[in-house]
Amino acid sequence: MSTLLVARDLSRWYGPVVGLVDVSLSLEGGIHGLLGPNGAGKSTFLKLVAGEIRPSRGSIEVLGLDPFANREHFAHSGFSPQQDALYGEMSGLAFVTFLVRLSGFPRREARARAARALDRVGLTAAMNRRTREYSRGMRQRVKIAQAIAHGPRLLVADEPLAGLDPVARREIADLVLELVREGVHVLVSSHVLHEIEALTSDVVLLHRGRVLAQGRVSEIRALLSRHPRKVELRARDGRRLARAVLELPGVLGLRISGDGTAVGVDTSDLEGFLTALPAAAAAAQAGISSLETPDASLEAVFDYLVE
Amino acid sequence: MASTNTEIYRPYRGTLSTSGTRFLALVRSGVSAAVKNKLPLVVLFAPPAIATVIFSFVVYARFSLEAGAMPSALGGPSPAGAIAAGFARTLIQVRDQIALFHVSMSYFTLLVIAWFGAGLIAEDRRAGAHLLYFSRPLTRSGYLAAKFLTLFLFALIAVLAPSLVICTVATFASPEWSFLKEEGRVVPASIVYAFLWASVWSSVMLAISSLFSSRTFALVGSFAFFAVSGAVSVLLVVLQRDPRFLMLSLQGHFQRIAVWIFDLRRFGHASRGSGDHPAFEVGWDVRWSFLAVAAVAGIAWIILIARVRRLEGST
C-alpha cells in the first residue's frame, strides 16, 4: 500500500500557544482516525495535512508532496473543516459550484461536479435551497460534498460526525466507508471514540499536541503491559467459576459480585486466559452466560494512555 | 444515501485553470451572496437613485430654461443675449452641482460600504470559510483581491453611477453638446474621484472587517471610525472656526481633493484663502490630502495583509 503521509518532527505553534509538538509518524493509505480530546492538536494536524498552514518546525509530506500552498496537492485532496464555513445566502449548489470553480474547473464542469457531489451526499432535493435553511446534518453533508466534488485522492475530514443525529451519523459514516472502498484515502478526526471505532481501527491518538500512540487499537492495547487486561464474566454459579479460573494462566485478581453471578478477572495474559477458559468453565459446570473485555475498547486504551 | 449510489468518481481529464484570475469566482460569489438579500439593497440604493433622478431633472430644467424650451408658463423664451451669457453660467453651475452631488453622495455611500463590507472578512473568520478557500489553489493575495474587488464594485456603483447619469443628462440636455465641449472634463474627474474614493474606503472598510470576527462588531467598528474621525473634526472646525481641522478626518481630505479635482467655484468652508481661487480655498494644500489618503490606504493594507496572514493561525 502506498504511503499516505510522512511527518518528521512536525511542530506548529500559534504565538505562545502550542498546537503540535515534534510529531513524527508515517501512515499508509486507507482510512485513519485521529483521536484526542479538544485541544489535542487534531485540527492543527489536519490543517497541516490539508496544506492550510505551514509547519513552524519539521516537515510533512502528503502523497509525496509538501502540502502547504501546493497547487498539485490541492488538486488531489479535499478538506472538510470542523467550522460551519458556509455562506447562508447561497444555495448548496451555488456554494459547491463556486468552490469547485476556485479549484480551476470550467463553469459547466464545476456545476456538473457540484450537482453530482451533492447527489452523492443525499442533497439533490435541497441543493437549490439557501444553506441557512439547512439542518446541521445537511450543512455537514455540503462540506463533505465540496471536499469530494473535484475527485480527490485524499479526504481530510475534521469532526465530520460532530453534532449529528444517529441516522445522519450513520449515513455520513457509510459515505466515508464507501469512498474508502473506491480507493480514496481518508483522514478523519473526532474526540468521540466510538465514532472513530465505527469507521476504522487504525488510529493516531493525540494529546496536548503529541502523539500518544499510533496503530491498530488492539495492537496498542497489547503494548500497555503494565495494565492487566480485564475480563467480565457472568455465570449461573459465579463462585464455582471463580475457583476454576484462579488456576488459569496470568490471573492476577478476581472480583465476585454480591449475588455471585458476575466475576471480574484481571489477567496479564489475555490470550492464554481466553484459550484456557472454555475448558475450565466446562469442568466447573459454572454455566457462563456472557463474556466481555471492557478495556479492549479505544476508550479504555485512551484512558490508560493519558492517565 | 450512500448505499444507493455507487457512482465512482472519474478523474477530470481536462486542464485545470492555473490563471491568476480564478479569484474572480470568489468575487462573483460575494456579489451574488450580497444581492440575494433584497431589502438592504433597496434601502441603501434607493436614496442615491432618487437623488439622481431629482438632480437629473434639475440639470435638464436648467438647460431647458436657458434654451427657452420650457413651456411658456415657466417664463417663456429669453432674449438672445441673455441666453449666451446664461449658458456659460449654467455650464459652470451644472459642473459644480455634479461635483457637490458627488461629494454629498459619497457620504451616503459610506453606508453602502459599511453594510456590504463589514462582513466580508469578519464573517469568513467567524464561519471559518477561509478554511475552504485556502485548501484550494487560492493564494492569500488572491483572497484579498477578491474581497477588495467585491466591495469596490459596490462602492463604485454607488458613487459613480449617479454622477455619470447626471453627466449624461447634462450632455444631451445642453444644446450642441456644449456641456461635453466646455465642461467635459467633469466626466473623467468624476471617474478619477470615484475610483480613488471607492478604493480607499473599500480598503479601510476591509481592514476594519478583518479586525473583527463578527459582522455586527465590524459594523459598529466602522461607524465608530466614520463618526469619530468625522464628528471630531467637524466639531473642532465649528469651535475653532478653522476649516483646517477637517484635515483630521478622511472625509475632510476627500472634500479637499474634490475641490481640487472638480475645480469647485463654491464650497462650504470657503473664505479663508486667497490666490487663484480665493472663494473656495479650504485651508491646506491638496498635496497633504493626497498624502493623508495614501497613508490611510497604506495602513489599511498593512493591517489587511497582517490579518489575512494570521487567518492561518486561527485554530
Side-chain angles (χ1 to χ4, degrees):
Chain A
M1 194 173 275
S2 63
T3 301
L4 174 60
L5 71 86
V6 179
R8 298 181 193 89
D9 302 325
L10 189 64
S11 301
R12 169 72 200 199
W13 46 85
Y14 307 96
V17 180
V18 173
L20 216 57
V21 189
D22 292 334
V23 169
S24 293
L25 58 84
S26 173
L27 298 178
E28 296 299 308
I31 178 167
H32 301 272
L34 205 58
L35 264 169
N38 291 329
K42 304 185 296 295
S43 293
T44 298
F45 185 74
L46 292 185
K47 285 180 195 170
L48 286 161
V49 173
E52 295 260 353
I53 56 177
R54 73 180 100 206
S56 303
R57 197 175 62 203
S59 66
I60 182 168
E61 266 185 24
V62 180
L63 295 169
L65 298 168
D66 175 2
F68 180 71
N70 187 330
R71 191 185 301 273
E72 196 179 344
H73 168 74
F74 292 145
H76 294 314
S77 73
F79 180 49
S80 169
Q82 182 183 359
Q83 286 84 347
D84 201 26
L86 308 185
Y87 281 172
E89 295 301 327
M90 295 176 79
S91 70
L93 179 61
F95 187 69
V96 178
T97 302
F98 122 73
L99 287 172
V100 178
R101 288 218 68 198
L102 277 184
S103 294
F105 287 89
R107 185 192 302 265
R108 192 169 294 175
E109 177 71 19
R111 192 176 171 85
R113 281 178 172 265
R116 274 209 301 271
L118 286 163
D119 178 46
R120 183 134 209 225
V121 299
L123 280 179
T124 306
M127 67 183 178
N128 288 310
R129 278 168 44 197
R130 291 183 188 191
T131 59
R132 72 174 178 196
E133 298 167 9
Y134 286 4
S135 68
R136 185 155 187 181
M138 292 163 86
R139 300 168 79 83
Q140 200 66 266
R141 290 181 206 192
V142 173
K143 285 194 284 177
I144 302 260
Q146 63 79 29
I148 62 173
H150 56 295
R153 291 167 61 199
L154 166 66
L155 169 64
V156 181
D158 194 0
E159 305 262 5
L161 306 177
L164 300 185
D165 60 65
V167 175
R169 211 157 43 218
R170 185 69 258 160
E171 287 176 345
I172 297 285
D174 284 347
L175 174 67
V176 168
L177 293 173
E178 194 179 281
L179 287 166
V180 173
R181 282 194 294 276
E182 290 170 12
V184 176
H185 309 294
V186 176
L187 205 52
V188 59
S189 79
S190 178
H191 63 277
V192 182
L193 304 173
H194 65 82
E195 287 181 355
I196 292 293
E197 275 185 313
L199 288 170
T200 179
S201 56
D202 277 320
V203 296
V204 177
L205 298 177
L206 286 171
H207 189 57
R208 294 180 182 166
R210 294 178 186 276
V211 174
L212 285 180
Q214 178 209 340
R216 300 186 79 81
V217 177
S218 56
E219 293 166 359
I220 296 170
R221 180 62 186 88
L223 291 173
L224 300 173
S225 55
R226 67 190 170 91
H227 293 281
R229 303 297 299 269
K230 293 186 191 315
V231 180
E232 299 292 341
L233 299 161
R234 295 196 81 85
R236 193 177 54 245
D237 188 342
R239 294 180 199 286
R240 188 179 288 183
L241 177 66
R243 278 197 295 276
V245 298
L246 262 177
E247 312 292 323
L248 298 183
V251 173
L252 302 173
L254 277 174
R255 297 173 303 280
I256 304 175
S257 65
D259 61 2
T261 59
V263 179
V265 181
D266 292 346
T267 172
S268 59
D269 179 9
L270 181 66
E271 203 169 327
F273 177 83
L274 292 177
T275 305
L277 178 65
Q285 294 184 322
I288 293 178
S289 58
S290 74
L291 183 153
E292 285 178 30
T293 54
D295 65 350
S297 72
L298 194 47
E299 187 164 3
V301 172
F302 194 81
D303 287 344
Y304 286 148
L305 284 167
V306 298
E307 73 184 13
Chain B
M1 178 182 66
S3 59
T4 61
N5 190 332
T6 54
E7 179 188 12
I8 306 287
Y9 273 78
R10 299 178 304 275
Y12 180 55
R13 300 293 177 200
T15 308
L16 293 181
S17 165
T18 54
S19 156
T21 57
R22 266 175 298 108
F23 69 84
L24 291 177
L26 190 51
V27 177
R28 270 191 295 273
S29 80
V31 172
S32 147
V35 299
K36 281 275 180 355
N37 207 346
K38 299 287 187 296
L39 185 62
L41 269 185
V42 172
V43 169
L44 291 168
F45 281 97
I50 292 167
T52 304
V53 171
I54 293 171
F55 262 74
S56 298
F57 179 76
V58 169
V59 166
Y60 174 78
R62 274 188 186 282
F63 283 116
S64 299
L65 278 169
E66 291 295 341
M70 290 300 283
S72 56
L74 292 177
S78 304
I83 289 175
F87 270 140
R89 199 170 52 247
T90 302
L91 285 172
I92 292 169
Q93 283 172 347
V94 168
R95 192 267 317 273
D96 286 1
Q97 263 184 344
I98 291 172
L100 288 170
F101 176 79
H102 228 318
V103 173
S104 50
M105 274 299 104
S106 64
Y107 280 99
F108 192 84
T109 315
L110 285 179
L111 292 176
V112 174
I113 289 219
W115 181 264
F116 290 108
L120 276 178
I121 295 179
E123 281 298 290
D124 280 358
R125 290 185 63 207
R126 184 191 60 75
H130 60 281
L131 295 171
L132 296 180
Y133 305 145
F134 297 151
S135 64
R136 293 186 153 71
L138 177 73
T139 60
R140 268 65 174 168
S141 47
Y143 174 79
L144 269 180
K147 294 294 172 184
F148 175 77
L149 261 184
T150 306
L151 187 54
F152 180 76
L153 280 177
F154 280 107
L156 198 63
I157 289 169
V159 79
L160 182 59
S163 59
L164 287 185
V165 168
I166 297 170
C167 285
T168 307
V169 170
T171 302
F172 285 102
S174 62
E176 296 177 358
W177 312 101
S178 54
F179 176 77
L180 211 52
K181 287 175 189 165
E182 301 298 323
E183 296 292 346
R185 65 184 183 83
V186 173
V187 178
S190 291
I191 293 171
V192 168
Y193 180 77
F195 268 78
L196 184 66
W197 190 93
S199 56
V200 171
W201 277 111
S202 298
S203 307
V204 169
M205 190 61 236
L206 276 185
I208 292 171
S209 179
S210 73
L211 292 172
F212 298 92
S213 52
S214 144
R215 182 172 182 277
T216 308
F217 287 134
L219 259 180
V220 172
S222 62
F223 284 121
F225 178 80
F226 301 155
V228 169
S229 68
V232 167
S233 63
V234 169
L235 192 67
L236 286 171
V237 168
V238 172
L239 291 177
Q240 300 295 318
R241 297 185 179 189
D242 186 345
R244 283 177 299 181
F245 280 106
L246 277 179
M247 287 179 84
L248 294 176
S249 74
L250 192 53
Q251 296 99 309
H253 286 293
F254 271 108
Q255 279 186 10
R256 180 67 188 89
I257 289 170
V259 168
W260 180 78
I261 284 185
F262 292 105
D263 191 19
L264 282 180
R265 295 286 184 266
R266 291 169 285 118
F267 195 72
H269 303 288
S271 81
R272 271 194 152 245
S274 59
D276 292 341
H277 302 294
F280 38 91
E281 183 62 59
V282 288
W284 71 88
D285 193 313
V286 72
R287 280 174 294 193
W288 287 110
S289 288
F290 277 113
L291 199 64
V293 164
V296 169
I299 290 167
W301 277 95
I302 288 169
I303 291 171
L304 268 173
I305 291 166
R307 295 298 293 178
V308 169
R309 279 178 67 89
R310 280 190 66 184
L311 276 179
E312 70 175 55
S314 53
T315 51

